[in-house]
Amino acid sequence: MSELEYAKRGLVGVLTPQANTTVEPELTILWPAGVAMLNARLTSPKKTIEERLIDYIDRAEESLDQFANAPLQAVAFACTGASYLLGLENETALCERIEQARGFPFVTAARAVTDSFKTLGAKKIGLVSPYPSSLTEASVAYWQSASFDVIEVANAYKDSGEFHPIYSLQADSSVAALNSLEEKNIDVIVMLGTGMPTLQPIIDVANWTGPPVTSCMLSLAWRTVLHVDNQTPSAKKFLSWTKGEDWSARLAVHHPRV
């Protein structure tokens, strides 16, 4: 069966950083019935994370050519770090330019997270960061530029010497960082990046006493599906995403706990 046959609801294109091992598995779990995806890779020969991120955003429009004339209803840009370095104003201009030229919404993970904050009426936010300090600082500046108060940052970064410090993180690496924010005076927590696994930690705290928890991957899927369905954001429906009401059963199938 082809992706088009699966796509009873809509076909989504996804742009994923070249070595990212998390985007496709998590989106496979998050997409509701009838949403299918085509994935293409963002590539760069540069050596540092920051240089690659700049390459990804500079070549975003070129990367879209990988989809040729596939009948896409939206494209999800699954690379949050590039948005921090581009800046909110330039990112907005890029998304508008692509939508006008290509005829479909270009949904960045960072703008999707911003939309989820606005949908909840959140002002005070907490971050769980898998990034090195320089990228965490760029992230904080991005959210502040969008008029959110970053109250707490919990660090989940670990350079274990694996092939990539972010993509090598296991889901339990973020648990302690997430738990440290439970009692803080914040409106919502976001687990940053599209490389750190986030779905199991989100389910683990779905009924805790702390604030709602989202992630760049969760917000990206949520906002993209709204475009596919031509719906406006709703706090009630977004909170159902944070509790895994549609996708937690698929998570249990794909990643059963022993």
Side-chain angles (χ1 to χ4, degrees):
M1 183 178 289
S2 73
E3 289 295 328
L4 278 178
E5 290 175 292
Y6 279 115
K8 304 298 184 184
R9 202 162 167 178
L11 182 64
V12 172
V14 181
L15 291 177
T16 303
Q18 56 198 20
N20 188 300
T21 57
T22 304
V23 167
E24 290 151 297
E26 291 211 338
L27 285 181
T28 297
I29 292 166
L30 287 168
W31 295 136
V35 175
M37 70 176 171
L38 298 179
N39 191 76
R41 291 279 164 171
L42 299 160
T43 61
S44 170
K46 301 296 177 61
K47 298 299 183 182
T48 69
I49 292 176
E50 287 81 1
E51 287 175 326
R52 289 194 296 272
L53 291 173
I54 291 169
D55 250 9
Y56 296 158
I57 204 73
D58 284 348
R59 299 164 63 183
E61 294 174 79
E62 176 186 336
S63 297
L64 289 169
D65 291 338
Q66 296 176 76
F67 298 120
N69 62 344
L72 304 176
Q73 289 179 256
V75 166
F77 185 74
C79 179
T80 329
S83 295
Y84 307 150
L85 302 181
L86 181 63
L88 186 61
E89 184 176 338
N90 290 333
E91 179 188 28
T92 300
L94 174 67
C95 293
E96 291 174 350
R97 184 167 67 248
I98 288 175
E99 182 166 2
Q100 183 174 13
R102 302 276 178 161
F104 49 67
F106 185 71
V107 189
T108 67
R111 277 163 53 95
V113 171
T114 297
D115 283 349
S116 68
F117 292 164
K118 291 178 178 178
T119 298
L120 294 177
K123 291 295 184 182
K124 298 179 291 185
I125 66 173
L127 311 178
V128 174
S129 175
Y131 304 133
S133 58
S134 60
L135 200 54
T136 297
E137 290 168 6
S139 171
V140 170
Y142 177 93
W143 306 118
Q144 289 174 334
S145 75
S147 300
F148 300 107
D149 296 326
V150 179
I151 304 300
E152 296 281 346
V153 180
N155 184 24
Y157 179 77
K158 293 181 181 179
D159 191 348
S160 60
E162 302 284 344
F163 81 100
H164 192 295
I166 298 175
Y167 304 152
S168 300
L169 286 171
Q170 301 298 309
D172 58 2
S173 299
S174 60
V175 172
L178 186 58
N179 287 338
S180 72
L181 300 180
E182 182 176 5
E183 303 299 330
K184 302 296 183 180
N185 182 27
I186 50 183
D187 299 323
V188 63
I189 297 168
V190 58
M191 302 179 73
L192 295 176
T194 63
M196 176 174 65
T198 61
L199 299 188
Q200 189 61 60
I202 288 173
I203 288 299
D204 288 345
V205 302
N207 296 307
W208 73 345
T209 60
V213 178
T214 187
S215 68
C216 293
M217 289 303 306
L218 181 70
S219 289
L220 179 61
W222 161 77
R223 194 65 185 88
T224 303
V225 170
L226 288 179
H227 282 298
V228 169
D229 291 343
N230 196 28
Q231 293 184 350
T232 56
S234 154
K236 181 179 178 181
K237 290 183 178 179
F238 178 69
L239 288 173
S240 78
W241 278 76
T242 68
K243 293 183 179 298
E245 290 179 6
D246 176 73
W247 54 267
S248 60
R250 292 191 293 275
L251 175 67
V253 170
H254 283 265
H255 298 286
R257 288 189 156 175
V258 178

